[in-house]
Amino acid sequence: QVQLVESGGGLVQAGESLRLSCAASGSIFEIPAMAWYRQAPGKQREWVATIFSGGSTNYADSVKGRFTISRDNAKNTVYLQMNSLKPEDTAVYYCKFDLVVTGGPRRDYWGQGTQVTVSS
C-alpha cells in the first residue's frame, strides 16, 4: 500500500530556514503532481505550493519568493525549502500527492503532517 512520510519540521526563529521532505513508498506507477498544504491553529487548511511532473510550479502569494518546491522522481520525494520564515508560517504542514498506483486508480494521498513553529 502507498504511504507518505513527512520529515523536517521543527522550531526555528524568524528569519531562519527549514526544509521539509515527503517520501512515498509502495507500488507507484506515476505521480502527476505533488503539493504542500498547511493548517494553522483556528484556521482551515490552505494550499501552499504545487509541482507537476513536467517541473512547473505554482505558489500561494503568501510564500512566493521565500519558499521553493522541488521533487526527486527517482525517490518519489517532494521537498519544500522554506527561507525567511515568519511567525505567520507557523502551522502543521501536509504533503499531498496526486498519485497513480500500479494497475490502479488515480487519487490523492496525504502525509501525516509535520509541525513548523516560527518564534519571533
Side-chain angles (χ1 to χ4, degrees), residues 72-84:
D72 184 337
N73 292 327
K75 297 181 178 180
N76 291 325
T77 299
V78 66
Y79 304 94
L80 186 67
Q81 178 66 45
M82 304 184 293
N83 297 329
S84 301

Side-chain angles (χ1 to χ4, degrees), residues 11-26:
L11 174 64
V12 298
Q13 298 183 75
E16 295 184 338
S17 298
L18 209 56
R19 190 172 85 148
L20 306 182
S21 299
C22 177
S25 61

